[in-house]
Amino acid sequence: MIITSMDAERCRRMLARIGYGRLACAKDNQPYVVPTYFACEGDNVYAFSVEGQKIAWMRANPRVCVEVDEVAGQFEWETVIATGRYQELTDAPEFRSERALAERLLQQRYMAWQTPYEILHRRQVRESGPPVFYCIRIEHISGLSAKPESLDAAPF
Amino acid sequence: MIITSMDAERCRRMLARIGYGRLACAKDNQPYVVPTYFACEGDNVYAFSVEGQKIAWMRANPRVCVEVDEVAGQFEWETVIATGRYQELTDAPEFRSERALAERLLQQRYMAWQTPYEILHRRQVRESGPPVFYCIRIEHISGLSAKPESLDAAPF
C-alpha cells in the first residue's frame, strides 16, 4: 500500500464531490460525531440541521472537524480531514446573502442526489421547527490517498 | 421518511457487523475525527494504530466517540453513535489476555475482509514501529434507523 498526501485543492475537490461525511464537535472535551450532508464552496462547508445536541454543542464551542472518506478496499482509499469553526447563518442582515448561497448550493446538491429537497425542508419545518443553516469555515485541511502497491508495479 | 431509535443491542450488532467507522477524539475542545477499522466484543471496541496525533490525543484525553453509518439512500440509512473511554492495551501483565483477545478478533476481522493482516502488521512494525493496540470502553450507545415512508404505505 502506497500512502500519499493530498494537497489542499484536491482535498477541497473531494469534500465538494462527495458532499457527505461526518461532523465532529466537542463539549467539555467530550467529542461527538454524526453523519452530515453538506455542500461546499471554497473553504466554506454549508449544511442545515434541526435543533439538537450537535447544534447546541457547536453554539457553545465552535471548534469542529469534518471528515470524508471513500473506501474501494483495505488498500485503496482516500480520506480528507478538515478542522474549522462553526458559524450559524442566522436571519440577521449580515448573513442574508450567504444564507441564500447556502440554500442554493444545498438545493443543487439535493437535486443532484435526486432528493426532493423542498419536501424534506417543508417536512422538517412542520415537524421540528425551522432548520438551522450553518457554515463550517475551514482553517486546516489535509488528506491521504492509498493505493495497492501491486498496481504501481504493473506494466500498464 | 420514518426515523426510529435502535435499541442498544441492535446498535452493538451494527458496530460489530460493519467494523469500520470513525473515531473522534478531542484536545483543548478541538475535535478530531478519523476513519478506523475495528472489531467488537460486547461493549468493547478493539483497534490498533501507528503512533500519531490520534493516539497522542487519546492518551491525553480518553473521552472518545465512535460513529458507524450505512446509507442506502437519502431516506434509507442507519447510524450508530457510541461514546466511551480510550484504554491502551499495553504489554503490561494486566492487559495481556485482553490484548491477545483484541489481536485475535482483529485478525479474524481482517481475514473476513480477505486482507492479509500479517503482512499489514509486519509492514507497520517495520515502517512505523510497533502498533498501539487499544480498546474503547463504550459507556453510551444509540442509533437511528430511517426508511422511506412510501414503503410503509405499500400494500406488500
Side-chain angles (χ1 to χ4, degrees):
Chain A
M1 180 167 59
I2 307 284
I3 300 179
T4 51
S5 291
M6 289 160 61
D7 65 32
E9 188 47 39
R10 188 172 159 198
C11 291
R12 281 190 287 263
R13 279 203 307 273
M14 183 172 162
L15 272 192
R17 176 173 58 82
I18 297 185
Y20 173 76
R22 288 92 209 158
L23 174 63
C25 51
K27 188 184 167 194
D28 301 332
N29 267 323
Q30 171 64 60
Y32 178 61
V33 51
V34 292
T36 313
Y37 286 96
F38 53 78
C40 298
E41 188 168 272
D43 279 323
N44 293 315
V45 175
Y46 296 105
F48 70 98
S49 167
V50 296
E51 299 252 0
Q53 178 177 333
K54 176 178 63 180
I55 296 294
W57 283 28
M58 291 194 295
R59 281 175 179 156
N61 170 27
R63 291 181 187 159
V64 297
C65 185
V66 176
E67 183 268 359
V68 162
D69 57 64
E70 200 166 41
V71 178
Q74 182 77 12
F75 297 116
E76 191 171 0
W77 46 261
E78 289 188 348
T79 178
V80 167
I81 295 166
T83 50
R85 298 234 163 205
Y86 172 79
Q87 172 64 63
E88 197 158 315
L89 302 177
T90 66
D91 279 329
E94 66 261 41
F95 294 119
R96 199 158 291 158
S97 69
E98 193 173 14
R99 192 181 155 117
L101 170 68
E103 291 208 39
R104 202 179 68 239
L105 289 172
L106 287 162
Q107 198 156 1
Q108 285 168 358
R109 188 79 233 193
Y110 276 71
M111 280 169 68
W113 291 320
Q114 301 188 300
T115 300
Y117 171 87
E118 289 300 334
I119 295 173
L120 184 66
H121 193 277
R122 278 200 300 273
R123 183 177 304 148
Q124 282 200 342
V125 170
R126 197 176 64 231
E127 292 175 2
S128 323
V132 176
F133 281 84
Y134 61 91
C135 176
I136 307 302
R137 314 275 190 215
I138 295 176
E139 293 173 346
H140 183 264
I141 192 165
S142 64
L144 293 176
S145 172
K147 52 183 180 173
E149 249 167 297
S150 54
L151 279 182
D152 292 84
F156 47 86
Chain B
M1 179 166 62
I2 308 283
I3 300 179
T4 52
S5 291
M6 289 161 60
D7 65 32
E9 188 46 38
R10 189 171 158 198
C11 291
R12 281 190 287 263
R13 279 202 307 271
M14 183 172 163
L15 271 193
R17 176 173 58 82
I18 297 185
Y20 173 76
R22 288 94 210 156
L23 173 63
C25 51
K27 187 185 167 193
D28 301 332
N29 267 323
Q30 170 64 60
Y32 178 61
V33 52
V34 292
T36 313
Y37 287 95
F38 53 77
C40 298
E41 189 168 273
D43 279 323
N44 293 317
V45 175
Y46 295 106
F48 70 97
S49 168
V50 296
E51 299 253 0
Q53 179 176 333
K54 175 178 66 181
I55 296 294
W57 285 28
M58 292 193 295
R59 281 174 179 158
N61 170 25
R63 290 180 188 160
V64 297
C65 184
V66 176
E67 183 267 359
V68 162
D69 57 64
E70 200 168 39
V71 178
Q74 182 77 12
F75 297 117
E76 191 172 0
W77 45 261
E78 289 188 346
T79 179
V80 166
I81 295 167
T83 50
R85 298 234 163 205
Y86 172 79
Q87 171 66 62
E88 196 158 317
L89 302 176
T90 67
D91 279 330
E94 66 261 42
F95 294 119
R96 199 157 292 156
S97 69
E98 192 172 16
R99 192 180 154 117
L101 170 68
E103 290 208 40
R104 202 180 69 238
L105 289 172
L106 287 161
Q107 197 155 1
Q108 284 168 357
R109 188 78 234 194
Y110 275 72
M111 281 168 68
W113 291 319
Q114 301 190 300
T115 298
Y117 171 88
E118 290 300 334
I119 294 173
L120 184 67
H121 193 278
R122 278 199 300 271
R123 184 178 303 148
Q124 282 198 342
V125 170
R126 197 175 65 230
E127 292 174 4
S128 323
V132 175
F133 281 83
Y134 60 91
C135 176
I136 307 302
R137 313 274 189 217
I138 295 176
E139 293 173 346
H140 183 264
I141 193 166
S142 65
L144 293 176
S145 173
K147 52 183 179 173
E149 248 168 296
S150 53
L151 279 182
D152 292 83
F156 46 86

